[in-house]
Amino acid sequence: MLDTLDLAATVATCVLALAAIAAFGANFYQARQTKKAVDAAMAETKAVEGQTDALLRQATATEEQAKATQEQAKASQVLAEEARRSRELEWQPLLVFAGSIEQGVGQLLNTGRGPAYRSVLVAGSGGHLTVSPPISLGSGDERHVRGMP
């Protein structure tokens, strides 16, 4: 009878050992699957970090481009204003008087690109002002002026 008990105990021990080996195998398999999942999650985290860095660089570049566009717009506005002033100045008359105002004799010359309509010469002498009759000069025209004061 002892042999039967020994045999039953041996069989029970073997069954328990096999169950322990199966449990160990299951735990080992589960540990490997968990490691694979962790590795995949780490790789995904690195990929997301890379995408985040790329997005931050892109945002910085977009911000710099926006600033450059604003500066370019300001420069364009300044250039447009200078062009407008230049056009205005180019087509304005520029009258030059060469001679003696005291004697009332000289040449009035329009050196500007625009016409001078109904321009007058004003001369002061001895506390009195003298005004010439209106004179119109085209661009590049000159007129001899006599008898101002």
Side-chain angles (χ1 to χ4, degrees):
M1 178 154 190
L2 203 46
D3 286 334
T4 309
L5 281 178
D6 284 338
L7 183 61
T10 303
V11 169
T13 302
C14 286
V15 168
L16 284 176
L18 284 174
I21 290 170
F24 176 75
N27 282 340
F28 182 76
Y29 176 78
Q30 188 175 14
R32 284 185 74 193
Q33 292 303 97
T34 301
K35 183 181 180 321
K36 286 181 183 178
V38 167
D39 288 345
M42 291 297 287
E44 186 175 343
T45 299
K46 286 183 181 180
V48 168
E49 285 176 355
Q51 288 175 348
T52 302
D53 290 342
L55 287 173
L56 287 174
R57 285 191 303 273
Q58 186 178 12
T60 302
T62 301
E63 184 177 339
E64 290 171 359
Q65 186 178 13
K67 287 179 183 177
T69 301
Q70 286 176 341
E71 290 173 9
Q72 187 177 14
K74 288 178 184 176
S76 294
Q77 188 175 14
V78 167
L79 285 174
E81 182 64 25
E82 287 177 3
R84 184 187 63 78
R85 277 192 217 122
S86 177
R87 265 193 316 273
E88 286 176 359
L89 290 175
E90 284 178 359
W91 291 101
Q92 288 183 354
L94 181 60
L95 299 177
V96 177
F97 180 78
S100 171
I101 291 184
E102 290 82 20
Q103 296 175 1
V105 176
Q107 291 291 111
L108 184 62
L109 173 66
N110 182 4
T111 60
R113 293 183 68 183
Y117 297 113
R118 301 185 52 81
S119 301
V120 293
L121 287 173
V122 178
S125 176
H128 297 298
L129 289 177
T130 305
V131 178
S132 75
I135 302 168
S136 294
L137 295 171
S139 177
D141 289 347
E142 63 181 76
R143 173 103 20 102
H144 184 73
V145 178
R146 174 171 286 186
M148 262 287 293

